[in-house]
Amino acid sequence: MNIERKGNLVRLLDIDNDFIIDLRYATEDNFTGQQIYQSGECWIDEHSAKILVKAKNIFKEAGYRVKVWDAYRPIHAQRKFWEIMPDDNFVARPPDVSKMTEFRHTHMNGQCVAVTLTDLAGKDVEMPCPFDTMDKRASLACEANSPEGRKNGEYLKQVMESVGFQAYEGEWWHFYDVSTEPVPYSDYAV
């Protein structure tokens, strides 16, 4: 198997090609209305890829596929997001990496993913709200969301956390790989 690497990153489909890749920021179909990424290739931390494959296999046994909306995000893309929406509630402030000595699990090191479920044919499963909804509906705790959407979101969270991810409570689709050490952020052109 030929696996291309960029630092800690690998192309997810080189590890396992049974994912649906729909990188929203490689299109204009996202909260910015702009194409932010120059490529629709999904790059991810190698360890994060391995545990995402474990989750994908659990979901597949239950009749689902995993669709990836976001994984690795170059620092320059994070800066662009901040220029468009400088709101700490929904967009992380871009770091000054020249001053950083400690890192955390984020999109900027590929140790964070935004995912959803589809059926085996690729049809989206009902979830609490659309991807990148920037209000209270993005939380699994929002009781205004449909019972079916909340149930599916809880199932997604349960499986993702069982393999080593941690859910972000403010966005049902957002998961951090907390089962590995954080690595420095990078700005690879992908």
Side-chain angles (χ1 to χ4, degrees):
M1 178 185 306
N2 183 24
I3 299 175
E4 190 174 342
R5 298 174 190 280
K6 291 178 189 266
N8 65 305
L9 304 172
V10 294
R11 224 180 352 222
L12 180 58
L13 294 182
D14 287 349
I15 301 295
D16 188 311
N17 66 3
D18 195 25
F19 288 91
I20 299 170
I21 307 298
D22 181 15
L23 296 188
R24 289 293 180 87
Y25 306 124
T27 72
E28 294 178 357
D29 183 18
N30 62 67
F31 78 95
T32 71
Q34 302 174 36
Q35 179 181 345
I36 305 295
Y37 296 171
Q38 298 308 305
S39 166
E41 288 187 339
C42 181
W43 290 80
I44 185 172
D45 175 83
E46 187 167 13
H47 179 270
S48 303
K50 289 176 180 174
I51 65 171
L52 187 58
V53 168
K54 286 182 183 178
K56 186 251 335 163
N57 290 338
I58 294 168
F59 290 127
K60 191 166 186 177
E61 283 183 23
Y64 299 102
R65 292 185 70 197
V66 174
K67 180 188 286 188
V68 180
W69 283 322
D70 200 16
Y72 171 66
R73 177 182 305 155
I75 295 167
H76 70 270
Q78 190 66 41
R79 284 190 196 109
K80 182 74 173 172
F81 284 150
W82 187 256
E83 289 170 14
I84 294 166
M85 181 182 263
D87 180 343
D88 287 316
N89 293 312
F90 293 103
V91 177
R93 186 181 303 266
D96 180 352
V97 292
S98 68
K99 297 178 181 178
M100 295 188 75
T101 57
E102 292 185 24
F103 298 89
R104 53 190 191 96
H105 308 99
T106 76
H107 286 294
M108 291 176 287
N109 57 14
Q111 295 179 323
C112 183
V113 294
V115 296
T116 190
L117 298 176
T118 74
D119 65 17
L120 292 177
K123 182 180 177 212
D124 288 341
V125 169
E126 182 178 348
M127 287 295 182
C129 65
F131 175 64
D132 267 357
T133 297
M134 305 258 179
D135 60 38
K136 66 180 182 176
R137 294 173 297 153
S139 171
L140 282 177
C142 179
E143 293 185 15
N145 294 325
S146 76
E148 182 69 14
R150 289 198 339 259
K151 178 180 75 96
N152 292 335
E154 288 290 348
Y155 174 64
L156 175 68
K157 176 184 175 184
Q158 173 197 352
V159 172
M160 293 293 283
E161 289 187 340
S162 77
V163 299
F165 286 98
Q166 179 181 15
Y168 169 52
E169 295 304 320
E171 297 173 344
W172 62 263
W173 58 82
H174 189 119
F175 297 92
Y176 303 98
D177 175 0
V178 294
S179 62
T180 191
E181 287 298 312
V183 298
Y185 307 152
S186 58
D187 205 22
Y188 295 112
V190 294

